[in-house]
Amino acid sequence: MARNPRKKSVNGIYHIIIRGINRQIIFEDNGDKIQYLKILKRYKEISKYKLYGYCLMDNHIHLLCKETDESISDVVKRISSSYVHWYNAKYERSGHLFEGRFKSETVEDVRYFLTVLRYIHQNPLKAGVSKSVLDCKWTSIREYIDKPNLVDTELALRLFSWDEKKALELFKEYSCELREDNCLEVKNSLKISDHEVLKIMRSLGMPNSSILQQMNKKDRDKLLKKMKEIEGVTIRQVARITGISKSVVQRAK
């Protein structure tokens, strides 16, 4: 069956998700992530695309970018092919690493552009792998706060203010706002019912949410972390069932 054509952005800006085939790990260590960023930079010079934001997770990637000389499909193909070639040589493997077709959504207005950028920068926080949006090592947030090297930061900052200092303060404040932003997501194909999650809670030694809420922070967070790591269980679901706020569940490590 033929695939539906990818929706074309009026202004050329897209939110892109590239993920490992069968949700497999695509970054084994920090060196792999460094190499991927090098490839992003190399093809910025070749393909002339604009990069407004990124997030590298262990098994998927978020990019917010704009096509110019080449289509976004060609740009992603170049970047992915280069990384897979390098990765396969490093780990002495062959074959595919990424899913056959990356996900994308068009970003065609100012409000949604900023929403997607915030969503991308909050991805590690929501996944429970970082405690602060501003300290995430493998997102583009530091390029906005410090000196940009790879990311085109001017557009986003000027949407807040033409005064550089004020723009940065407003940007940081906006980026740290925890919101239920409804953007393109990496969704689990497996879903677990609330009833099953309750059974899992009991198996972990939590007969009910009241006991969990009365535990000391260290022990509580340890159990919340275990629940988040179960495939098919979402942070929102854990928050709903336990009565513990979503932000607390997100930060549990």
Side-chain angles (χ1 to χ4, degrees):
M1 182 181 292
R3 290 174 172 173
N4 292 327
R6 195 177 298 280
K7 185 178 179 182
K8 186 75 173 175
S9 171
V10 173
N11 57 13
I13 300 178
Y14 297 86
H15 172 206
I16 291 164
I17 297 179
I18 308 164
R19 63 180 181 182
I21 192 168
N22 297 321
R23 296 191 293 276
Q24 76 177 62
I25 298 295
I26 55 178
F27 300 116
E28 297 287 346
D29 57 32
N30 289 347
D32 295 349
K33 293 178 179 178
I34 291 170
Q35 178 63 23
Y36 190 83
L37 294 178
K38 288 180 179 178
I39 291 170
L40 284 182
K41 188 168 186 177
R42 182 196 314 159
Y43 283 103
K44 272 196 74 182
E45 297 172 0
I46 295 171
S47 301
K48 309 300 181 185
Y49 71 92
K50 297 284 188 179
L51 181 63
Y52 302 117
Y54 68 80
C55 172
L56 309 185
M57 302 294 284
D58 287 348
N59 66 354
H60 69 277
I61 300 156
H62 288 268
L63 301 174
L64 178 58
C65 49
K66 179 178 181 177
E67 61 187 11
T68 56
D69 293 0
E70 295 182 352
S71 71
I72 201 63
S73 294
D74 287 342
V75 170
V76 173
K77 184 177 180 180
R78 279 179 179 267
I79 293 166
S80 297
S81 296
S82 180
Y83 180 73
V84 172
H85 178 77
W86 177 88
Y87 183 95
N88 283 352
K90 177 180 177 180
Y91 293 105
E92 298 180 343
R93 68 183 294 275
S94 60
H96 299 291
L97 178 64
F98 298 116
E99 282 187 340
R101 196 184 196 205
F102 64 89
K103 289 187 172 185
S104 69
E105 63 174 343
T106 60
V107 180
E108 298 180 340
D109 65 73
V110 169
R111 184 185 295 273
Y112 194 58
F113 175 84
L114 292 176
T115 296
V116 171
L117 188 58
R118 175 171 60 192
Y119 172 82
I120 289 173
H121 286 155
Q122 290 187 0
N123 213 243
L125 188 71
K126 292 179 178 179
V129 298
S130 178
K131 293 182 178 180
S132 169
V133 173
L134 301 181
D135 291 330
C136 293
K137 186 174 183 181
W138 301 110
T139 74
S140 50
I141 193 72
R142 298 308 311 178
E143 297 231 354
Y144 280 90
I145 296 173
D146 301 325
K147 185 178 179 181
N149 173 55
L150 171 63
V151 176
D152 300 286
T153 61
E154 186 176 2
L155 173 61
L157 292 174
R158 284 192 172 177
L159 291 174
F160 288 97
S161 175
W162 283 83
D163 179 272
E164 291 184 14
K165 185 175 180 181
K166 184 178 180 181
L168 183 56
E169 289 305 312
L170 291 172
F171 172 79
K172 288 193 291 186
E173 181 180 331
Y174 179 84
S175 298
C176 291
E177 285 182 27
L178 290 177
R179 295 290 186 92
E180 292 287 343
D181 292 330
N182 186 24
C183 302
L184 186 67
E185 295 181 351
V186 176
K187 296 181 180 178
N188 292 315
S189 57
L190 174 65
K191 292 185 179 180
I192 299 179
S193 68
D194 286 1
H195 177 69
E196 288 298 315
V197 175
L198 285 168
K199 286 173 63 177
I200 292 169
M201 281 178 58
R202 296 187 188 102
S203 72
L204 293 173
M206 294 179 283
N208 56 61
S209 59
S210 296
I211 291 177
L212 178 63
Q213 292 170 7
Q214 293 170 25
M215 294 174 69
N216 65 66
K217 182 179 182 298
K218 183 178 180 181
D219 291 338
R220 179 203 66 195
D221 287 357
K222 188 182 296 183
L223 290 170
L224 290 173
K225 180 176 181 291
K226 286 182 180 179
M227 292 182 68
K228 291 192 297 180
E229 290 172 346
I230 299 168
E231 185 178 5
V233 175
T234 67
I235 290 175
R236 183 178 299 175
Q237 190 176 29
V238 172
R240 182 176 66 247
I241 291 169
T242 62
I244 294 173
S245 73
K246 186 169 175 283
S247 61
V248 171
V249 176
Q250 285 172 348
R251 292 194 294 267
K253 294 186 70 177

